[in-house]
Amino acid sequence: MSNPESRKLAESILQNRSIFFMATVERGTPRVRPMTCLYADGFKIWTCSRRNTPKMEQIKQHNEVECCFLDENQRQVRILGTVKVYEDEKAWNDLPFSPESIPMLEDPEYQLLLIEPQEIRFIDDWSVNYKKIQV
């Protein structure tokens, strides 16, 4: 298990990176793409996607994804989680940020997504010794 310093550093990587990579599965084949982190609440990740994309179809079929954040020092935070899709704008009232501050969410083709962590791993060197961080 990781120590408090690793947790703090891993959280700071999420706070300081606007782009991460997310993997989904399409008929047994992994698919990875860059995503925009709209907001990170600890290790919960808020992002968005257009409604009619292969990615959204993959999430509907299997809502477990893995996300990877990488900083300029090659430190990684990998989050295995489940995706909650916000279909209704009324549900946005409970968000920890203001949806009005994100212009793309004004486009009805975009959906807000919340990735809830199930497993968090952090690596701060090239030894490939991942430290598990408590969810």
Side-chain angles (χ1 to χ4, degrees), residues 2-11 43 122 124 131 133:
S2 71
N3 60 37
E5 293 84 27
S6 293
R7 181 180 189 88
K8 186 175 180 179
L9 181 54
E11 284 180 336
F43 293 101
F122 172 65
D124 59 358
K131 298 170 181 82
I133 295 177

Side-chain angles (χ1 to χ4, degrees), residues 51-111:
R51 292 175 188 278
N52 296 319
T53 64
K55 167 184 43 201
M56 291 307 298
E57 192 58 40
Q58 293 156 18
I59 289 170
K60 286 177 188 172
Q61 296 293 316
H62 184 82
N63 75 331
E64 194 170 55
V65 299
E66 185 171 51
C67 303
C68 182
F69 288 78
L70 180 69
D71 77 359
E72 64 277 357
N73 296 311
Q74 308 305 312
R75 296 176 294 203
Q76 296 177 34
V77 179
R78 295 178 67 164
I79 299 170
L80 178 68
T82 55
V83 180
K84 178 179 178 183
V85 179
Y86 282 79
E87 300 279 352
D88 184 356
E89 288 184 26
K90 293 176 186 168
W92 296 7
N93 295 333
D94 296 332
L95 300 179
F97 62 93
S98 171
E100 292 82 29
S101 66
I102 302 165
M104 66 187 81
L105 293 179
E106 294 176 9
D107 183 340
E109 286 302 308
Y110 277 92
Q111 289 183 286

Side-chain angles (χ1 to χ4, degrees), residues 12-31:
S12 74
I13 290 171
L14 268 67
Q15 294 297 321
N16 294 315
R17 307 309 289 177
S18 61
I19 302 295
F20 66 97
F21 294 89
M22 184 174 77
T24 57
V25 177
E26 179 181 47
R27 294 186 302 274
T29 302
R31 302 290 181 191

Side-chain angles (χ1 to χ4, degrees), residues 28-39:
T29 302
R31 302 290 181 191
V32 177
R33 82 274 297 146
M35 299 287 292
T36 300
C37 180
L38 302 175
Y39 183 83

